[in-house]
Amino acid sequence: MIRNIVFDMGGVLVDVRRDRAVCNFQEIGVDNAAELIDSYHHKGIFLDIESGAIDADEFCRLLCLEAGKDIPRANIEWAWKTIIDPPEAYKLDYLLNLRQHFRTFVLSNNNPILIDGWARTADFSPAGRPITDYFDRTYFSYEMHCVKPGQEIFRRMIADSGIVPAETLFLDDSENNIASGREAGFQTLLIVNGEDWRAKLDGLLDGQNNYICIIMNRLKGQKTKIMNKRTSPQWITELAEGEVFVFGSNLAGMHGGGAARLALKWGAVMGQGVGLQGQTYAIPTMQGGVETIKPYVDEFLTFAREHTELTFLVTEIGCGIAGFTPAEIAPLFRSAIDEDIANVLLPESFYEALAG
């Protein structure tokens, strides 16, 4: 069953225009641009900036040396950005819908000029939304200091995201990258640069019946319930922009152990036991029985409904020091499933508990 979908950027999300970029770099003075720029795997300093070996400033300096003349940085940035076309609105709308059913990611060989200077800004989409609004997390080679088709970039992404490769579909336009993704354990789908791949992807997902996960509610003998299953990573070590770490706390806000202690690195405030704090959200679990936790979970879910720009990664709140079990806590989050609150990700153990 597919639960996660990983998209390449160039050639999948946006169309690659390699020949146009070569011409434009030649126009600004880089005569050997055709030798350095490739649709799939750049060479020389163009590879160095994508691998994170050099930053944007160093790239611009070295490019001037390569050209044998000073080139204004604005011209370099312009030429870089002409290697792709802006994303088409139909793809972005499709991605927003897809994200209601799956965890979605980007894994791309890319550079800071394109990503920090365009993709992560409001200029990325016609709707004025950055690329981070369309995915749960984004992984770019220059930040990971490794590139596709090497295995290391896949290993690092898997470790950081907590995804299971066998439950993950990887889309790319490079046969070498597809082969490497398959070696990493992913299911794969080869895309042709410029194509509308929606029907191809829909057919694959429909064929595997992946839009829904069937969960039997055995506790009350009710008929089968259908829900979208979105799981939070078992081990959360980093947070992307817009992600919120949801942890169990105490009313005094003494974040001294377990997930609460970890929350301090993302903005949890000592003395504050409830609500949003930096990139964390505290739910008190130490004040009594499960019935005393429910009002705070309800308050959290209301907050999540009102803040769809955020993605909430719920940990096994109350299942550590507080001494509760997932079977006791999971039912408190039932409405997140019944109402399909898309930006609330629950632990796998909660889904298992609800399945009976």
Side-chain angles (χ1 to χ4, degrees):
M1 176 173 289
I2 295 172
R3 293 175 175 164
N4 318 289
I5 305 178
V6 180
F7 293 85
D8 179 31
M9 186 171 169
V12 179
L13 300 180
V14 295
D15 296 342
V16 174
R17 298 289 181 251
R18 182 258 180 189
D19 292 344
R20 181 176 64 194
V22 167
C23 289
N24 288 335
F25 270 106
Q26 290 173 339
E27 180 181 326
I28 65 174
V30 186
D31 294 334
N32 63 337
E35 301 170 13
L36 301 172
I37 300 173
D38 186 79
S39 295
Y40 304 113
H41 201 70
H42 299 317
K43 299 177 179 63
I45 60 173
F46 284 79
L47 174 59
D48 290 341
I49 190 173
E50 289 204 337
S51 68
I54 59 175
D55 62 15
D57 291 337
E58 182 67 0
F59 173 81
C60 292
R61 187 185 74 81
L62 292 175
L63 192 68
C64 291
L65 292 177
E66 188 90 26
K69 68 173 190 177
D70 289 336
I71 305 174
R73 178 163 179 146
N75 291 0
I76 296 173
E77 293 179 352
W78 163 77
W80 248 131
K81 292 174 183 177
T82 64
I83 198 170
I84 50 92
D85 286 337
E88 296 179 89
Y90 75 80
K91 287 184 179 179
L92 298 179
D93 291 341
Y94 179 88
L95 290 168
L96 289 175
N97 180 65
L98 200 69
R99 197 178 176 191
Q100 305 301 309
H101 305 279
F102 303 91
R103 295 186 70 201
T104 58
F105 304 87
V106 170
L107 180 64
S108 171
N109 288 350
N110 228 304
N111 66 80
I113 293 175
L114 271 178
I115 301 305
D116 297 332
W118 172 66
R120 285 179 172 150
T121 75
D123 292 334
F124 174 74
S125 70
R129 303 175 68 170
I131 191 171
T132 48
D133 279 6
Y134 296 91
F135 298 93
D136 290 278
R137 294 191 187 183
T138 55
Y139 294 91
F140 297 111
S141 58
Y142 73 95
E143 295 175 323
M144 301 175 77
H145 298 282
C146 48
V147 297
K148 296 179 292 184
Q151 281 294 297
E152 185 61 25
I153 195 169
F154 291 97
R155 284 193 288 267
R156 293 186 185 184
M157 182 207 170
I158 291 165
D160 182 77
S161 63
I163 61 176
V164 177
E167 299 174 348
T168 303
L169 178 65
F170 172 55
L171 284 70
D172 202 290
D173 65 319
S174 162
E175 292 185 0
N176 288 336
N177 293 345
I178 285 291
S180 190
R182 194 176 298 120
E183 182 182 345
F186 292 157
Q187 301 181 54
T188 59
L189 182 61
L190 181 64
I191 301 300
V192 177
N193 180 46
E195 76 170 316
D196 180 355
W197 38 257
R198 290 176 297 173
K200 185 186 292 187
L201 180 55
D202 283 344
L204 178 63
L205 296 174
D206 285 340
Q208 296 193 29
N209 195 29
N210 282 301
Y211 276 107
I212 55 177
C213 177
I214 308 300
I215 298 294
M216 296 299 295
N217 186 344
R218 300 173 182 170
L219 296 176
K220 295 184 178 180
Q222 295 175 354
K223 63 182 180 180
T224 301
K225 287 189 133 323
I226 297 176
M227 68 184 189
N228 297 316
K229 187 176 182 183
R230 289 174 288 271
T231 54
S232 53
Q234 183 176 4
W235 305 107
I236 300 173
T237 57
E238 298 293 338
L239 292 178
E241 183 179 353
E243 290 183 333
V244 177
F245 181 77
V246 182
F247 68 99
S249 65
N250 54 69
L251 286 170
M254 301 306 293
H255 309 313
R261 184 177 181 84
L262 179 61
L264 291 171
K265 73 182 273 191
W266 294 309
V269 179
M270 277 291 188
Q272 184 175 336
V274 185
L276 188 69
Q277 308 165 42
Q279 279 189 269
T280 73
Y281 190 103
I283 298 177
T285 61
M286 302 282 288
Q287 65 278 1
V290 172
E291 71 280 357
T292 71
I293 302 173
K294 185 179 186 304
Y296 295 104
V297 173
D298 291 344
E299 181 181 334
F300 159 69
L301 293 175
T302 297
F303 184 86
R305 292 185 195 95
E306 295 171 350
H307 292 274
T308 55
E309 76 280 6
L310 301 176
T311 299
F312 298 90
L313 309 182
V314 179
T315 63
E316 291 183 330
I317 69 160
C319 299
I321 299 172
F324 298 102
T325 66
E328 293 173 300
I329 298 296
L332 302 181
F333 290 88
R334 166 62 75 177
S335 63
I337 295 167
D338 292 343
E339 298 177 27
D340 193 19
I341 305 178
N343 59 333
V344 174
L345 279 60
L346 300 178
E348 181 71 31
S349 61
F350 284 16
Y351 283 105
E352 292 173 355
L354 291 169

